[in-house]
Amino acid sequence: MVAVITASEPSWIAPFTGLIPRGFSKLVTALRREGADAVRRGRPWSLSLESRVLLVTAYWRTNLTLRQLDCKAWELSGAKDAVGHMTVIADRGYRGTGLVIPHRRERGQAELPAWKEEHNAFHRKVRARVEHAFARMKTWKILRDCRRKGDGVHHAMLGTVRLHNLTLAG
C-alpha cells in the first residue's frame, strides 16, 4: 500500500508529531523502558509501539478528535486516491470526506423525512453485508493471520474472492 502513515518511515514523524526523528526515538525508548511494549495476555496490538506513539502524538499535537484522525487517515493513506470516482459508503465517522454516510436529524428536527429514512435503511443493508463478510473472514482467521507484514491481507482477500466466485460458479 502506498503512503500509509507509519513510524517506520521517518518522513512522517516530524509533520505529525512536531518532533525530530531522534527525539521521537528517545520518546519511544523511554516508553519501552517503562513497560509500554511488554507482552501481555489477550489479543496482541496490531500496530507497533512506534506507530501507536505516532498516532497518540499526532492526536495531542493537532488536538483532533479520534473521528477526525480517521478522516485524515482516509485522505493521507492513499485510500481516497485509490477508489477514484467510485461511490464509497461509510459510517458517520467520515463526515466531511465526500463519502456517502447516513443522514442525521438536524437540531430540533423530530424525525427524518421519509426519503432520508429509506436511504438510511438501504445504507444499513449494504453495510450489514460488508460487516458480515468481515465477520466471516475473522471467523476463518483470514485477516487475523495475515495482518503481520507486507501484502498478506491483499493476497488473503484475493484468495477469498476467488473461493467465493468458485462457489457462485458451482
Side-chain angles (χ1 to χ4, degrees):
M1 194 181 292
V2 178
V4 174
I5 301 169
T6 175
S8 62
E9 181 60 44
S11 63
W12 289 110
I13 293 172
F16 284 96
T17 66
L19 299 169
I20 60 173
R22 185 170 177 219
F24 182 79
S25 180
K26 285 182 178 182
L27 175 63
V28 171
T29 302
L31 289 169
R32 198 168 265 131
R33 214 175 314 138
E34 293 292 324
D37 206 22
V39 177
R40 300 171 198 264
R41 291 182 58 210
R43 186 173 179 201
W45 289 99
S46 60
L47 293 176
S48 66
L49 177 62
E50 291 82 0
S51 293
R52 287 182 279 151
V53 171
L54 178 67
L55 179 66
V56 171
T57 52
Y59 170 75
W60 283 342
R61 179 171 190 252
T62 59
N63 202 22
L64 295 173
T65 65
L66 191 55
R67 180 171 285 175
Q68 290 168 317
L69 280 173
D70 289 342
C71 292
K72 288 291 182 190
W74 163 252
E75 293 175 15
L76 297 175
S77 68
K80 183 177 181 179
D81 296 330
V83 298
H85 296 292
M86 295 183 72
T87 301
V88 178
I89 67 169
D91 60 18
R92 290 184 179 135
Y94 291 88
R95 196 174 314 145
T97 59
L99 301 176
V100 178
I101 61 171
H103 297 283
R104 294 184 58 176
R105 287 178 294 152
E106 300 295 326
R107 183 172 290 188
Q109 187 179 18
E111 292 182 10
L112 285 175
W115 70 272
K116 286 186 177 180
E117 283 291 347
E118 288 175 24
H119 183 262
N120 284 357
F122 179 74
H123 192 271
R124 280 191 301 272
K125 287 178 187 176
V126 172
R127 288 235 5 189
R129 287 187 211 131
V130 172
E131 295 297 333
H132 284 271
F134 285 151
R136 286 195 181 108
M137 286 187 279
K138 289 177 183 176
T139 301
W140 298 336
K141 298 183 181 180
I142 291 171
L143 292 179
R144 187 172 1 154
D145 293 341
C146 294
R147 68 175 180 199
R148 293 186 184 105
K149 289 186 179 176
D151 55 358
V153 173
H154 170 73
H155 290 297
M157 291 300 294
L158 287 178
T160 304
V161 169
R162 286 186 184 125
L163 289 173
H164 177 72
N165 288 341
L166 284 173
T167 304
L168 290 178

